DNA sequence: TCTGCCTGATTAATCGTTTAAGCAGAATAT
DNA sequence: ATATTCTGCTTAAACGATTAATCAGGCAGA
């Protein structure tokens, strides 16, 4: 008995039906002129033989691999799962595969990673750039996910609006003394979030900003952020640019005996994996990654199609008509009314709940 | 001026030098018979023209795509970044690309994800299986990363030994009352970790196991785990099968006013992103992902090579000669000697530090 | 000188698709 | 009745590499 050697190809189907391979191709793609009956016969025969098209051969012929590259500043980032999952799903829905590339935490590698992807002839690249880097003309369609305030951004969350959500939430609860926590002022995303927060704070609010990297540069990584000092000075609301920092704040305060949210409120961003299971569960602002990924992938595919139709030497940056997707606040347990005994310059009488 | 249309191919180099394409191929691959001088000329010309080989064409001809698939139970998992990064690095070092596939959290999708990868003719697949699923003959080389106690496992951390590390650490600090925290008893990884811990606990130790999913089935996701009850009953050591659960324990205890590590010690696994920055920083057991990834990828490549040399219809599961890589304990701030006032049935006098 | 071997190249087939071009017969138009 | 357009299919040429087979000389041995 002859064992099935490899998966059958178009010629096998053609031979089995006594037609030409071209006809099989046309029938399966629905492109050329094939009679409905024959087309049907071909399709059933293909299914019967378990035909699987060779994407490699198709790629060679058409010059399109059906694969998208994904470059992130740092695969180790806790936000990576969300992004990767969303992009993978959006790409899969569009019939594309996703090739990942790690820039291993440094800027040169980002370029190298992109090159490696292009050698594998990806049709386009989705990149979440490291801050401080500009994605230029890569000679390949690119979709950039960063922040609306980044030039060349394709689509991203409306981080500014997200910041406003946080400010409104906390101010609405009665807070007037805010500590804003960021990591690095160079990041557009963080700047937007913090800028958005500041833009909505009440006029009589007192605000201080803490930049983690500055503190760590002095006291070492993982060091305390000096939040108890803020508490003693009457601050009640801690708004971090990130759930990781929010978590850090929560544990630092909790460890010092502060009850959350009774004595202090903490809010983060991104709804990271642990945010809902710690005690108390963290109030956060969530990105609609599925929407972002879909918009990014679609914008990318649009550029790819257009490039394919016109000049092959385009390689531009994809631009979505709708470039900022709104964020949503998820109120959980780390935010509440400021306690009376802790509120200075507070106009409304908050209750301890 | 004619602009460079696309990246030049072998024929372009051949034409520029007045030789045949085959010679160029031989020169660049070093396979056929080419005079050293000509080979050198070809190489410099290739560099000069900026020649990039078409991996697609090569894949079509050789039947090998140079791409590995990576399938995980859930891309959203916080461990994903570590695994993905390690696999990507190991694969890149071996000249391979990595295509990711999300099984979107359910078992059927795992099979589908694998199929999608195979359609893209990956040369092999690295899979971290969902628990409860067996990876059978896929018709394609597979490396399984799960646990040494899983049949068909290629390589993984020695979770049992990791568990022993935890037990030794805590027992060495003087603890005698242990709460072991797991999520799901079906997971081989978690069972190994917990089994390893149990195997090294002192004979006079008191042990209780908490399964999170059981509790959540009753009280809902993210609910308290009832750890204060354990504290009141004299337990001082909380060993979780995972940093996520450890963090959950830390915050739950902290929130209730327990000082860590003075009144209770907590240990986790995996050294997840936040473990080093929360207060107190979490003592954990780290996996050597780089080693695991390298072993897995190498074992996979071995099967690929062998399959390529012999019968094309193999598709077996890769087996590494060294299938378990040791874990290392990272002692941080959540583990310490048990306080005297809390220690029941404790033989040594622990100090409050 | 003739045979045989080695060297350094070329030729041509192949991988599996896609697709432009061609072609025979039927249907329609003039 | 003849010219034209469809229709349904086939032919054959790509895509860019790899590789087995071939071939022309040069050189050594008999």
């Amino acid at each position: 008995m002859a064992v099935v050697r490899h998966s059958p190809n178009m010629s096998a189907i053609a031979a089995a039906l006594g037609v030409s391979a071209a006809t099989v191709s046309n029938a399966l793609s629905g492109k050329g002129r094939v009679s409905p009956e024959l087309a049907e016969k071909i399709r059933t025969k293909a299914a019967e033989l378990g035909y699987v098209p060779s994407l490699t051969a198709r790629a060679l012929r058409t010059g399109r691999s059906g694969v998208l590259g994904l470059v992130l500043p740092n695969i180790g980032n806790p936000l990576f799962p969300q992004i990767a999952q969303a992009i993978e799903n959006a790409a899969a829905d569009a019939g594309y595969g996703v090739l990942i590339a790690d820039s291993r935490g440094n800027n040169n590698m980002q370029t190298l990673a992109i090159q490696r992807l292009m050698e594998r002839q990806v049709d386009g690249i989705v990149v979440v750039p490291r801050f401080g880097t500009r994605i230029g003309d890569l000679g390949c369609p690119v979709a950039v996910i960063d922040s609306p305030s980044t030039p060349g951004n394709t689509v991203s969350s409306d981080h500014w609006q997200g910041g406003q959500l946080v400010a409104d939430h906390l101010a609405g609860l009665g807070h007037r003394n805010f500590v804003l926590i960021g990591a690095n002022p160079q990041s557009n995303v963080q700047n937007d979030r913090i800028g958005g927060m500041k833009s909505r704070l009440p006029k009589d609010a007192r605000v201080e900003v803490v930049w983690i990297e500055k503190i760590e540069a002095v006291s070492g990584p993982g060091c305390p952020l000096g939040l108890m000092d803020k508490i003693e000075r009457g601050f009640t609301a801690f708004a971090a640019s990130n759930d990781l920092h929010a978590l850090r704040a929560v544990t630092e305060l909790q460890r010092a005996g502060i009850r959350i949210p009774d004595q202090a409120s903490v809010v983060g961003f991104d709804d990271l994996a642990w945010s809902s299971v710690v005690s108390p569960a963290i109030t956060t602002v969530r990105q609609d990654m599925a929407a972002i990924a879909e918009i990014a992938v679609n914008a990318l595919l649009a550029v790819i199609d257009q490039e394919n139709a016109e000049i092959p030497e385009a390689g531009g940056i994809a631009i979505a008509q709708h470039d900022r997707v709104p964020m949503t606040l998820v109120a959980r347990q780390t935010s509440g009314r400021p306690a009376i005994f802790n509120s200075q310059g507070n106009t409304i009488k908050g209750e301890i709940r």
Side-chain angles (χ1 to χ4, degrees), chain A:
Chain A
M1 312 266 169
V3 187
V4 192
R5 301 214 153 276
H6 264 331
S7 70
N9 55 16
M10 285 195 159
S11 312
I13 302 178
L17 256 39
V19 298
S20 77
T23 303
V24 175
S25 174
N26 283 330
L28 294 179
S29 67
K31 281 196 170 177
R33 293 183 300 214
V34 186
S35 70
E37 310 86 52
L38 181 53
E40 185 53 33
K41 272 212 306 195
I42 289 177
R43 257 167 290 162
T44 57
K45 192 53 142 187
E48 178 191 330
L49 295 179
Y51 168 70
V52 178
S54 160
L55 298 191
T56 310
R58 181 178 295 166
L60 177 57
R61 175 61 226 238
T62 62
R64 296 176 48 174
S65 59
V67 173
L68 262 29
L70 177 59
V71 180
L72 292 123
N74 177 6
I75 287 192
N77 189 293
L79 191 56
F80 172 53
Q82 279 185 38
I83 300 184
Q85 184 161 46
I87 296 286
E88 202 276 337
N89 288 358
D93 289 346
Y96 278 75
V98 176
L99 210 47
I100 57 174
D102 186 4
S103 49
R104 305 195 193 185
N106 90 53
N107 287 8
N108 312 5
M109 287 301 284
Q110 175 171 297
T111 324
L112 240 79
I114 291 174
Q115 277 188 356
R116 282 215 317 275
L117 287 178
M118 289 184 50
E119 284 177 14
R120 296 194 180 280
Q121 8 255 154
V122 294
D123 294 335
I125 299 183
V126 176
V127 30
V128 182
R130 300 179 58 76
F131 52 70
T133 64
R134 277 266 286 177
I135 303 301
D137 189 350
L138 263 40
C140 154
V142 179
V144 177
I145 301 181
D146 189 0
S147 113
S149 59
T150 303
N153 184 61
T154 301
V155 61
S156 66
S157 287
D158 191 340
H159 301 289
W160 187 273
Q161 170 258 352
Q164 295 183 324
L165 247 30
V166 170
D168 289 350
H169 177 66
L170 290 170
L173 287 167
H175 292 273
R176 288 298 177 274
N177 298 276
F178 299 86
V179 176
L180 275 27
I181 305 173
N184 189 316
Q186 282 189 67
S187 155
N188 284 328
V189 169
Q190 294 183 37
N191 271 328
D192 278 13
R193 290 176 176 181
I194 287 181
M197 294 194 260
K198 283 181 172 169
S199 76
R200 281 295 182 95
L201 255 22
K203 294 180 190 66
D204 57 342
R206 189 159 53 116
V207 186
E208 282 186 15
V209 180
V210 170
W211 292 109
I212 294 184
E213 292 196 2
K214 266 184 205 155
I215 298 180
E216 289 194 334
V218 178
S219 315
C223 67
L225 302 177
L227 266 26
M228 279 313 291
D229 170 63
K230 309 285 182 193
I231 292 277
E232 281 156 15
R233 291 173 43 231
F235 289 93
T236 59
F238 296 81
S241 65
N242 187 315
D243 276 355
L244 187 58
H245 310 144
L247 175 64
R248 197 163 166 176
V250 165
T251 54
E252 182 170 331
L253 293 172
Q254 240 178 10
R255 187 186 192 187
I258 300 294
R259 289 188 315 281
I260 297 174
D262 296 344
Q263 294 172 267
S265 287
V266 179
V267 179
F269 271 91
D270 295 340
D271 196 15
L272 298 180
W274 63 81
S275 304
S276 58
V277 300
V278 296
S279 284
I282 296 175
T283 294
T284 190
V285 176
R286 184 191 290 156
Q287 302 196 44
D288 189 350
M289 278 300 177
I292 293 177
E294 199 188 323
I295 294 176
V297 168
N298 286 340
L300 197 51
L301 296 188
V303 175
I304 291 172
D305 286 342
Q306 172 219 333
E307 169 181 90
N308 204 261
E310 295 176 21
I311 334 118
E313 204 58 32
I317 292 182
I319 297 183
Q321 66 280 59
H322 186 62
D323 73 334
R324 57 193 66 189
V325 346
M327 307 186 80
T328 56
L329 185 126
V330 184
R332 289 202 271 245
Q333 303 165 354
T334 54
S335 54
R337 298 183 160 276
I340 298 169
F341 59 82
N342 244 340
S343 57
Q344 303 184 351
N346 204 351
T347 49
I348 69 164
K349 302 287 174 192
E351 305 175 307
I352 305 177
R353 40 165 211 181

